[in-house]
Each structure stands twice: as structure tokens, then as C-alpha cells.
């Protein structure tokens, strides 16, 4: 394997989060009755004229800036001609030689993984993005769930005319994990700036990979194969991995790689040939005569840039510096913008280290179990930071706090109320603790005898019993100290 090099380029289609379509006023709502969201323009009826949706330009600009692209002052919509049943016009309005934006440089973090997908070490990587252009989506053929599907195909044009940003990279990736990390970065960046929901499972982020192999040291590229049907991040990574192995064994067996499009079949974990590129269409691109050139002023671009939130990578670096977090923790806390906002609001209470731990571990677990996300967390950042202050001033122990947080989560009540309902804060009164200790020691004659005979490991037993007797409220450090004193004094008496 080591004397082979893999070359991967990626194309991502992201649906821009507009209310209406790119060239008409129809809704982009997902899940409507088939063909409910259509009009003469997106049905491609003769004489209907497209009008560009301004919101598409704004969201396209946000996406382009979030990915480090330069926005062209002038771009041209072009007709991409091909015949397909889900494309009633016989052409798709896209952009060709003068795209909306180009020449992007993006820094991402990437890591090699072991077989199970565990990260070895994160390192930065620069990706060159060739272009991001704007286009309309096609409709959808439906082959399932309708009468007589064995004899008929159905066409749903609700998706026809939904706005897309197509993002194309240079062949910069050398492994399936680099490709995986890049697409994940793009997903997060687009969601972060509100340009796209970028949900692969819902189909509003779609990905294609161009994969080729060559012997290390060769300068010419091998024949590339286009991979489609990569409907999740994991499929993308697995399909590329399979394809690399397939191509290397073909070449090593003296075969030629055919330039073609292959589909990933997840059930069989294989790629299958869909069509060879020799049959590929010549799209006969030409400028769309019904739309003027798109002119975007530098002023507009600067306005969009100024309104962008701090971008994920910049924010991650700042969290590391400002709150003294590890790279890994900061990465988890910037997984979404809502998460980063939540963290900073909690950290403001004065214990950023504890805030990171509680969010990444306990709160994340509660959210996972409840099947919800941080934006709808029943525990507010104010409540969580108040709970952390109660640990810091010894009102509750760290152990109690886990139970307090679980109850805050299920009841949506603030920590002081939860602690009061649990019978009050941490018990730190030495006399009260001593009384509990005496009771436990008296009720455990066998263990006391063994302890006094030298089995000091039994200390934990006594501490546990006392804390249990206090309903979890006794301060563990104090209990430890007092149990030891009580037993040791008995040993001296003997
Ligand atoms: Zn329409």
C-alpha cells in the first residue's frame, strides 16, 4: 500500500436555507404533498420566466465567505442541457465558466484513525476550493409507495428549483479520512453561518468524490472514478476506502482503470459501475438568456462579511487561549454554534474548566439520552453555572451534583430548589457527621473488628455507609476524616 498514493477531489451540493425557491416564489418546504410546491416557472412551462431570489445570493455569500472563497463581482447563469424525466425544462440553470465565487483557501483539522475510527492525532490541513456556484436542484423520480409502481414511474417536482450551492475542491485529499474531515468541516461551517441545514440524512447535503490512484513519485494523475450515492459521512469514507483498494488491485493485476461513475452499495459494502464516462453527456452549456449577469457589489460582500459570526476554527482557537482548554475539548465545544454559545455563557460564572467538564460529560449524556440538543436543553447556562458555584463553595459535593444535574434536567428547576427538595445541601457539620459515624460503627461490629485487626481497606465500607445514611449529603472528605479518627481512637482504647 505504501508505494501507492491516493488522489481525491470532492464535490458537495448544499441546499441553501431559503423559504422559497431560487427562481420562483414556490415554497421549499420538505414533506409537502407531491407537486404541491410548483408553478409554471419550476415546472418549466413555456413562457415562464425565472427571477433570481435575493436571499439565495445572501446565503450563497455567507457560505462562500465561511469557506474562504472570493466572491466574483460578476457571475453568469448558464443552461446545462440534458434530458431526464425529473428535469421538465430539459436543462438545469447552473453556472459554468463565470461562477459566483472561486479560489478558496480553507484550513481544516484532520486526523488518521484506526480501524474502529478512533482518532490518532489532529493536525491542520489546507484545502484549495476551486469554486462555489449557485444552481437549481432537479425534481425526484419516485419508484416506491405508490400504486402500480411496477408499471409506472412517478415524478415529484417539489424539489425542482430549490437553491443549491455546489462546492468543488482541487484534488487535494490523500486519504478517506481527510475527505471525511473536510465534508464534516463544510457541514459545520454552513450550519454555523445559517447558510444551510446541511443534514446529509435529509439530503440537503450531498457529496460526490473523484478518486484515483498512482504510484508514489508519479506526477501524472491516474484515471479518476466518480463515486455517488454517498448518503452519510461514514458511507463516504467507506466507499472511498473500498475504491482505493479496488483500483490498486486492478492496476496491480495489469488492468486499466475505466473512467466511470460508480455507486456505493452500503448493504454489500461495494461500489458498482453506473455508467462509463464515454457515454457522458456533453452539456452544451450556454449563458441563460432569461437572466441578466449577477452583479454583487464589494459593499454587499462587506456587509455580509461583517454580519458573519466568529467562524468555528477561529472560535476553537480562541476557546483554547481564553479558557485554557485542550484542543480536543475546544473541538467538542465548537461542534455547533449553539454549543459554543452555551459554553461561553456557562464559563462566564468564573470556572471555565468545570463548565467544560460538566457540559462535555454529564450534560451531553443527559441530552443524548433525552434525544435532544443543546439549543433545547432544559438546563440553562445560568442554572448550570449556579450549580458549579455551589460545588465550588462546598454547598454540594461533586458526587451530589451529578444527581442534582439529573434532577435539574428532568424537572427544569434551578439547582437551589432541587437541592432543597433533596433535603438541603452538603452536610458539613462535624458533630452531625460524627453521630452518623458512631451509629454505623456500632451497627457493624464484624467490620469494626476486622478493621481493628488491620484490614484498613474496610475504611471505604464505613465511608460508604455513612454517606448512604446521610442520603448522599455528607461531605465525603469530612466523613473520611471522622471515620478514620473514630476507628483509630477505638484501636487506641484496645
Ligand atoms: Zn415555482
Amino acid at each position: 500500500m505504501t508505494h501507492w498514493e491516493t488522489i481525491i477531489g470532492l464535490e458537495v451540493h448544499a441546499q441553501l436555507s431559503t423559504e422559497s425557491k431560487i427562481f420562483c416564489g414556490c415554497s421549499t418546504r420538505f414533506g409537502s404533498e407531491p407537486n404541491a410546491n410548483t408553478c409554471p416557472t419550476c415546472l418549466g412551462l413555456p413562457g415562464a420566466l425565472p427571477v433570481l431570489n435575493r436571499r439565495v445570493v445572501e446565503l450563497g455569500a455567507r457560505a462562500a465567505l465561511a469557506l474562504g472563497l472570493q466572491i466574483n463581482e460578476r457571475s453568469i447563469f448558464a443552461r446545462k442541457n440534458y434530458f431526464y424525466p425529473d428535469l421538465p425544462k430539459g436543462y438545469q440553470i447552473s453556472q459554468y465558466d463565470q461562477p459566483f465565487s472561486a479560489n478558496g483557501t480553507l484550513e481544516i483539522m484532520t486526523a488518521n484513525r484506526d480501524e474502529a475510527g478512533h482518532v490518532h492525532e489532529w493536525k491542520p490541513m489546507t484545502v484549495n476550493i476551486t469554486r462555489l456556484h449557485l444552481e437549481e436542484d432537479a425534481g425526484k423520480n419516485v419508484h416506491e409507495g405508490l400504486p402500480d409502481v411496477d408499471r409506472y414511474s412517478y415524478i415529484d417536482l417539489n424539489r425542482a428549483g430549490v437553491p443549491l450551492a455546489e462546492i468543488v475542491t482541487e484534488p487535494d485529499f490523500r486519504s478517506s479520512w481527510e475527505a471525511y474531515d473536510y465534508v464534516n468541516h463544510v457541514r459545520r461551517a454552513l450550519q454555523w453561518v445559517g447558510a444551510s441545514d446541511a443534514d446529509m440524512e435529509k439530503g440537503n447535503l450531498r457529496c460526490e468524490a473523484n478518486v484515483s490512484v498512482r504510484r508514489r513519485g508519479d506526477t501524472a494523475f491516474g484515471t479518476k472514478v466518480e463515486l455517488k450515492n454517498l448518503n452519510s459521512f461514514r458511507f463516504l469514507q467507506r466507499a472511498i476506502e473500498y475504491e482505493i483498494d479496488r483500483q490498486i488491485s486492478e492496476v496491480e493485476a495489469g488492468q486499466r482503470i475505466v473512467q466511470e461513475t460508480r455507486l456505493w452499495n452500503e448493504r454489500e459494502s461495494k461500489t458498482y459501475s453506473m455508467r462509463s464516462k464515454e457515454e457522458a453527456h456533453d452539456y452544451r452549456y450556454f449563458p441563460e438568456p432569461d437572466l441578466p449577469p449577477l452583479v454583487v457589489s464589494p459593499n454587499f460582500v462587506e456587509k455580509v462579511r461583517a454580519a458573519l459570526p466568529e467562524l468555528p476554527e477561529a472560535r476553537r482557537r480562541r476557546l483554547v487561549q481564553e479558557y485554557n482548554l485542550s484542543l480536543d475539548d475546544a473541538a467538542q465545544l465548537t461542534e455547533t454554534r449553539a454549543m459554543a454559545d452555551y459554553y461561553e455563557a456557562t464559563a462566564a460564572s468564573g470556572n471555565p474548566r468545570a463548565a467544560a467538564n460538566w457540559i462535555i460529560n454529564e450534560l451531553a449524556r443527559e441530552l443524548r439520552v433525552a434525544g435532544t440538543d443543546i439549543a433545547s436543553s432544559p438546563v440553562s447556562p445560568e442554572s448550570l453555572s449556579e450549580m458549579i458555584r455551589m460545588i465550588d463553595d462546598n454547598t454540594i459535593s461533586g458526587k451530589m451534583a451529578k444527581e442534582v444535574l439529573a434532577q435539574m434536567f428532568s424537572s427544569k428547576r434551578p439547582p437551589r430548589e432541587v437541592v432543597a427538595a433533596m433535603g438541603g445541601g452538603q452536610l458539613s457539620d462535624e458533630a452531625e457527621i460524627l453521630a452518623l459515624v458512631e451509629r454505623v460503627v456500632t451497627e457493624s461490629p464484624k467490620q469494626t473488628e476486622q478493621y481493628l485487626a488491620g484490614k484498613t481497606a474496610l475504611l471505604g465500607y464505613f465511608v460508604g455507609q455513612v454517606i448512604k445514611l446521610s442520603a448522599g449529603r455528607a461531605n465525603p472528605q469530612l466523613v473520611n476524616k471522622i471515620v478514620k479518627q473514630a476507628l483509630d481512637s477505638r484501636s487506641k482504647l484496645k
Side-chain angles (χ1 to χ4, degrees), residues 193-246:
V193 299
S196 172
D197 294 342
D199 186 339
M200 260 190 158
E201 271 69 30
K202 289 200 183 112
N204 48 36
L205 191 78
R206 307 197 284 267
C207 189
E208 290 161 32
N210 289 304
V211 180
S212 66
V213 297
R214 66 179 174 195
R215 288 204 159 76
R216 207 167 279 283
D218 281 3
T219 46
F221 289 128
T223 306
K224 70 180 177 191
V225 167
E226 186 181 47
L227 297 182
K228 289 192 183 219
N229 209 26
L230 314 173
N231 298 327
S232 77
F233 288 96
R234 202 67 180 124
F235 291 5
L236 164 87
Q237 189 270 330
R238 285 156 54 96
I240 293 174
E241 207 54 44
Y242 173 85
E243 191 56 26
I244 294 169
D245 288 348
R246 187 189 71 84

Side-chain angles (χ1 to χ4, degrees), residues 46 75 145 178 308:
S75 62
E178 287 181 358
L308 283 182

Side-chain angles (χ1 to χ4, degrees), residues 21 24 26 38-39 42:
K21 294 185 180 180
C24 63
C26 293
T38 55
C39 73
C42 56

Side-chain angles (χ1 to χ4, degrees), residues 262-427:
R262 297 178 74 90
L263 294 183
W264 174 246
N265 182 318
E266 173 64 16
R267 218 180 31 237
E268 296 176 37
S269 296
K270 278 182 178 170
T271 62
Y272 281 98
S273 180
M274 181 173 91
R275 59 164 180 255
S276 99
K277 275 284 173 180
E278 274 83 335
E279 305 159 26
H281 303 88
D282 170 5
Y283 293 118
R284 293 176 293 120
Y285 280 99
F286 63 85
E288 166 60 63
D290 292 337
L291 286 165
L294 170 57
V295 177
V296 178
S297 70
N299 188 26
F300 174 86
V301 174
E302 284 323 304
K303 266 195 195 143
V304 173
R305 195 192 303 276
L308 283 182
E310 184 183 16
L311 294 173
E313 276 308 307
R315 194 156 184 187
R316 194 173 58 94
R317 282 195 294 270
R318 183 171 62 75
L319 291 193
V320 169
Q321 290 222 318
E322 198 170 323
Y323 301 105
N324 205 10
L325 300 178
S326 72
L327 263 177
D328 228 29
D329 285 356
Q332 291 190 59
L333 293 169
T334 49
E335 186 53 33
T336 63
R337 211 171 117 198
M339 179 70 119
D341 289 346
Y342 189 100
Y343 170 68
E344 291 210 82
T346 311
S349 73
N351 194 339
R353 179 71 260 157
N357 287 339
W358 281 96
I359 293 170
I360 291 171
N361 300 312
E362 302 301 318
L363 184 62
R365 178 166 54 240
E366 296 286 349
L367 291 168
R368 217 169 23 246
V369 170
T372 184
D373 59 24
I374 193 103
S376 27
S377 167
V379 177
S380 68
E382 293 71 32
S383 284
L384 182 57
S385 51
E386 189 185 345
M387 190 198 84
I388 293 170
R389 277 197 302 275
M390 289 170 80
I391 305 170
D392 289 345
D393 67 15
N394 280 319
T395 307
I396 54 176
S397 67
K399 195 166 182 295
M400 269 181 88
K402 288 188 184 180
E403 178 56 27
V404 171
L405 181 69
Q407 291 199 25
M408 284 161 67
F409 197 92
S410 57
S411 69
K412 297 189 184 179
R413 283 182 307 171
R416 301 224 167 251
E417 273 183 36
V418 168
V419 169
M422 283 166 74
Q426 181 162 245
L427 178 57

